[in-house]
Amino acid sequence: MLTGLLSGAPTTSAGDAGAGRAAAAGTFRNPLNTGPDPFMTHWNGMYHLTATQGDSIRMWRSPSLGTLLAADPVTVWTDSDASRNRNIWAPEFYRFGDRWYLYYTADDGVDDHHRLYVLESDRDDPAGPYHFKAKLAPPDHANDFAIDAGILQHDGRLYLAYSGINQYQHNGLNIAPMSDPYTVSGDAVAIDGAGGCPEVREGPEFLYRNGRTWMTYSACDTGKPDYQIQMMSLPSNADPLRPGNWTQHPGPVFSRADDRGVYGPGHHAFFRSPDGAEDWIVYHAKTTSDYTYSNRTTRAQKFTWKADGSPDFGRPVALGATQDLPSGDPGTGTYWINDDGRSSGDGTVSYTGTWNSGTGCAAQCFWGDDHWSDRAGNTATYSFTGTRIALLSVRDTGNGIAAVSVDGGPEQRLDYYGPLRTGETLQYLSPGLPYGRHTVRVRVTGEHNDRSGASFVSIDRAEVYTN
């Protein structure tokens, strides 16, 4: 069985809860991770998440979706082979039999040398350990650029779907047959997928339902705010290696939502809720409309199905929007603290000195407001009951350096500067603490690095973890 295939009865919508609604038990807020290109599976009582890290493959594990941001990663793969140990992108992992196969792309430091590879686990555990199994290369593209492997299972057969050179794009959709999870057994065929931009078709993923296979993929350069998800479908018993058997869905099925501050949603995967009753999409998106590859964070939301049998992904929710946890998720007891002192749990924030505050940051801030100051010595102190706290706020070209301390301990210097303005950016994640009452103090130093134009420190959302 291929872990991650979606089937079963239609599910109801999770809704589009706004960040202003008080969080209750059984809710969470994005982001789930600070990395791009996510892939996630729920298996054996745990969510398992990977994202592009560049120099290795890391995995985050948590019993609840709400605590993934605070989970410590496990490094599941590094490589000493100089031909494939640089620019490691887009890992995905699937279970066949009692072993897991982890697919990824890597190069030797030259982007055009990106190729596809697969690892095999030593035991029945998605976190490994793994050993190198094979390079994946269709005979007709043995020495060509290739990224973003996804595995298609159709009518009892396996296929390698990926983005690579074809007659349509340098990063175009290709599908090749496989004789087993680590062997490509024939030439690839090119699929001419539509898109909102001409240059990229990448990250193919698959849903199986209502007698059809649905292939979703990302289109446009991922640095653009118009990076989006498009979709094609294939009937059961139709050959996926015949391009004419694929039917294009008109227009994007998931795309930017400027009013919610969401740009470039794409490079996605699908997972089921712990009880198997709900379908979810995990994807990366940005909080800026600027052209950039940075600030792509991992997010998730539930999706449903239309009357015609096609998936309905809805619109991307705002970063920080409060959503219900997937059904069967045991919950976490997480809660938020807003910069104005409101909280959905046992937490607050207090200030010394004079701070600016306002709602000018709109969708870039939690609840549409934040506090900021450049006055050396001014402080903001979060008081909370829990085991860990994450601080998220605006990163900007005029931001400076803060000093952060936990429970009155030594200060850690943090640079809030960013080369462009981004909202609800993870600035600080505290170490794990014994459950109880704690404080985290943010002190404005009045200093900034040579690239910054000022020394402001921004205070916005805190996410508190209680177990």
Side-chain angles (χ1 to χ4, degrees), residues 4 6 11-12 14 28 30 32 40 47 65 207 268-275 277-283 299-305 313 323-327 329:
L6 304 185
T11 59
T12 57
F28 78 100
N30 289 316
L32 305 181
M40 185 154 62
Y47 296 92
L65 205 65
L207 294 168
H268 60 291
F270 306 110
F271 66 97
R272 300 299 298 269
S273 59
D275 64 3
E278 296 174 350
D279 299 322
W280 285 70
I281 182 172
V282 61
Y283 60 97
R299 311 163 187 211
Q301 63 190 72
K302 188 166 74 171
F303 70 92
T304 59
W305 297 84
F313 300 111
Q323 303 179 70
D324 291 335
L325 285 165
S327 60
D329 189 301

Side-chain angles (χ1 to χ4, degrees), residues 53-67:
Q53 298 297 295
D55 61 348
S56 62
I57 299 174
R58 299 183 185 94
M59 186 173 290
W60 288 260
R61 299 174 295 177
S62 173
S64 176
L65 205 65
T67 49

Side-chain angles (χ1 to χ4, degrees), residues 183-242:
T183 306
V184 178
S185 57
D187 289 345
V189 299
I191 306 295
D192 186 13
C197 307
E199 68 272 16
V200 170
R201 310 287 183 266
E202 63 187 13
E205 296 293 333
F206 299 94
L207 294 168
Y208 308 85
R209 185 155 173 147
N210 301 319
R212 300 190 76 82
T213 292
W214 306 90
M215 177 170 66
T216 54
Y217 59 92
S218 299
C220 293
D221 183 334
T222 191
K224 292 182 174 181
D226 289 317
Y227 194 61
Q228 61 190 250
I229 298 176
Q230 299 263 347
M231 185 170 70
M232 307 178 81
S233 67
L234 177 77
S236 295
N237 302 316
D239 185 355
L241 298 178
R242 294 179 62 87

Side-chain angles (χ1 to χ4, degrees), residues 287 361 363-366 369-372 391-397 399 415-418 420-427 456-461:
T287 62
C361 56
Q364 284 193 315
C365 293
F366 187 66
D369 59 8
D370 68 346
H371 279 63
W372 66 98
L391 306 185
L392 301 97
S393 62
V394 166
R395 192 165 287 178
D396 204 354
T397 56
N399 281 4
D415 195 343
Y416 281 47
Y417 167 82
L420 50 85
R421 182 182 175 88
T422 59
E424 292 197 73
T425 304
L426 180 64
Q427 309 280 15
F456 287 99
V457 171
S458 176
I459 300 296
D460 190 14
R461 168 163 63 115

Side-chain angles (χ1 to χ4, degrees), residues 22-193:
T27 61
F28 78 100
R29 286 151 297 281
N30 289 316
L32 305 181
N33 189 272
T34 59
D37 306 334
F39 187 87
M40 185 154 62
T41 290
H42 187 272
W43 184 80
N44 201 23
M46 300 282 282
Y47 296 92
H48 296 73
L49 169 71
T50 54
T52 291
Q53 298 297 295
D55 61 348
S56 62
I57 299 174
R58 299 183 185 94
M59 186 173 290
W60 288 260
R61 299 174 295 177
S62 173
S64 176
L65 205 65
T67 49
L68 269 171
L69 183 64
D72 295 319
V74 174
T75 299
V76 300
W77 184 251
T78 58
D79 203 324
S80 59
D81 188 321
S83 70
R84 58 173 192 258
N85 64 1
R86 305 277 297 277
N87 300 314
I88 300 172
W89 296 348
E92 298 192 1
F93 48 99
Y94 301 80
R95 185 174 184 248
F96 295 100
D98 62 354
R99 291 292 181 267
W100 292 80
Y101 294 86
L102 199 158
Y103 302 84
Y104 66 101
T105 180
D107 67 21
D108 57 2
V110 177
D111 178 58
D112 222 34
H113 293 171
H114 265 108
R115 303 291 185 267
L116 299 175
Y117 304 98
V118 59
L119 312 173
E120 183 182 63
S121 68
D122 296 342
R123 57 176 184 248
D124 192 2
D125 188 340
Y130 285 92
H131 57 270
F132 184 81
K133 191 65 175 178
K135 179 181 178 180
L136 298 173
D140 58 337
H141 290 286
N143 296 303
D144 290 339
F145 173 88
I147 61 171
D148 294 358
I151 302 300
L152 164 63
Q153 185 178 14
H154 185 75
D155 292 338
R157 297 180 179 178
L158 295 179
Y159 300 86
L160 174 69
Y162 68 96
S163 178
I165 292 173
N166 62 30
Q167 62 265 43
Y168 305 114
Q169 288 94 20
H170 181 274
N171 293 39
L173 295 173
N174 298 284
I175 301 177
M178 303 181 77
S179 56
D180 55 46
Y182 48 86
T183 306
V184 178
S185 57
D187 289 345
V189 299
I191 306 295
D192 186 13

